[in-house]
Amino acid sequence: MTIDLALTGLLDTARSTRHGVGAFNVVLLEHAEAIVAGAELAGLPVILQISENCVRYHGGLAPITTATQAIARAADVEVLVHLDHIEDVDLVAEGIALGVDSIMYDGSHLDYDANVAATRVMADRCHRAGIALEAELGEVGGKDGVHAPGVRTDPTDAAAFVQATGVDALAVAVGTSHAMQTREAAVDRDLVTRLRDTVPVPLVLHGSSGLSDEELQGAVRAGMTKVNISTHLNGLFTRALRAVLEERPDVVDPRKYVSAGRDAITAETSRLLTLLATA
């Protein structure tokens, strides 16, 4: 039986036309509002991501997810709600019950066989509910370890992993790093192209905040489809908020300074979505 999955439709179209799709993390509700506003400005689809860290911060999955889904449904462009880097299988079940569009189950901390087994179970569970599953093979490193030779995804292993698990998208390690606050990383474009030619599903680039505009576009041209960005937007949000407080230390109404951060994310989301779509 063929199941129509929202994420696969969006990513398969982008993959076939060599365009990138932006996936941006929701930390506060203002992030969701700002990212959707930026997507509407650009007239392009976007993916709102809710991580396991975000769930812990908010004390549960349902409040932030249902609010984010309401914002997504009201948008004038296609907006998908995606759970990011989920290791807790109970959160997978809860996400399915809430009707999210897709889930990234992260078994990359497991050895290969255990990762395959666990991811296969998660893919079957999600597909029965009409939800797409992203997974990760290879380690997307922290800043200290990302340039180690072992932190790369082997194309042959990646293709076998997709075949064995049935996942709909695959996050691969190609030189980026999570939580980078400077845009100085470089993508192994030759590896990305080999992965794209070998792996039958769209490729996902995690840790993209560390990439310059040129590197982002180069990664998409080489074969990346879903591009995850979080830290870069958080930095803009924080700097905009801090500027208001430094200029007006008497302000106590959070709306008067948080809105500056929201506006900064809106503008950059629109710019980045256009950049990825025109790579």
Side-chain angles (χ1 to χ4, degrees):
M1 179 177 64
T2 300
I3 302 174
D4 183 19
L5 306 176
L7 182 73
T8 58
L10 176 61
L11 296 188
D12 285 347
T13 299
R15 183 175 189 259
S16 66
T17 56
R18 297 292 184 98
H19 294 150
V21 176
F24 306 123
N25 280 61
V26 172
V27 179
L28 307 174
L29 193 58
E30 284 81 4
H31 284 71
E33 294 169 341
I35 292 164
V36 169
E40 290 177 331
L41 278 176
L44 291 166
V46 74
I47 299 169
L48 299 176
Q49 304 201 135
I50 298 170
S51 71
E52 194 163 315
N53 287 335
C54 177
V55 172
R56 284 196 290 267
Y57 172 78
H58 288 284
L61 181 65
I64 188 66
T65 300
T66 53
T68 299
Q69 287 172 311
I71 292 169
R73 285 193 294 268
D76 293 333
V77 293
E78 183 178 10
V79 181
L80 303 185
V81 178
H82 173 86
L83 302 188
D84 186 40
H85 280 288
I86 304 299
E87 298 182 17
D88 184 342
V89 297
D90 290 336
L91 284 180
V92 173
E94 190 175 353
I96 291 171
L98 289 171
V100 298
D101 296 294
S102 56
I103 297 172
M104 188 268 183
Y105 171 70
D106 187 354
S108 64
H109 58 288
L110 304 171
D111 64 43
Y112 180 83
D113 290 339
N115 190 3
V116 167
T119 302
R120 173 76 263 177
V121 170
M122 294 300 107
D124 288 344
R125 186 175 299 175
C126 286
H127 290 166
R128 286 196 299 270
I131 292 171
L133 188 79
E134 174 189 330
E136 182 174 307
L137 176 65
E139 180 182 354
V140 179
K143 191 171 183 181
D144 293 335
V146 70
H147 298 297
V151 188
R152 295 290 189 274
T153 300
D154 178 79
T156 302
D157 289 346
F161 183 84
V162 170
Q163 178 65 32
T165 59
V167 297
D168 305 290
L170 186 68
V172 291
V174 293
T176 56
S177 173
H178 288 122
M180 286 191 68
Q181 297 186 39
T182 56
R183 303 179 74 190
E184 59 187 22
V187 168
D188 186 338
R189 299 185 196 182
D190 289 340
L191 176 57
V192 172
T193 298
R194 287 190 285 122
L195 284 162
R196 187 189 188 281
D197 290 343
T198 306
V199 178
V201 298
L203 301 175
V204 183
L205 187 64
H206 286 218
S208 307
S209 290
L211 299 177
S212 66
D213 287 358
E214 180 184 0
E215 285 289 330
L216 285 170
Q217 289 196 312
V220 172
R221 285 194 293 267
M224 302 304 304
T225 299
K226 178 173 175 278
V227 179
N228 292 10
I229 298 175
S230 179
T231 302
H232 173 59
L233 293 182
N234 288 337
L236 292 172
F237 180 95
T238 301
R239 288 190 289 274
L241 187 154
R242 184 179 290 122
V244 172
L245 291 176
E246 288 176 349
E247 182 180 346
R248 300 178 59 193
D250 58 318
V251 170
V252 296
D253 183 345
R255 292 168 295 186
K256 294 183 178 180
Y257 51 85
V258 173
S259 59
R262 184 173 60 184
D263 291 345
I265 289 180
T266 293
E268 184 66 353
T269 294
S270 178
R271 192 187 75 83
L272 287 171
L273 287 175
T274 302
L275 183 82
L276 295 172
T278 57

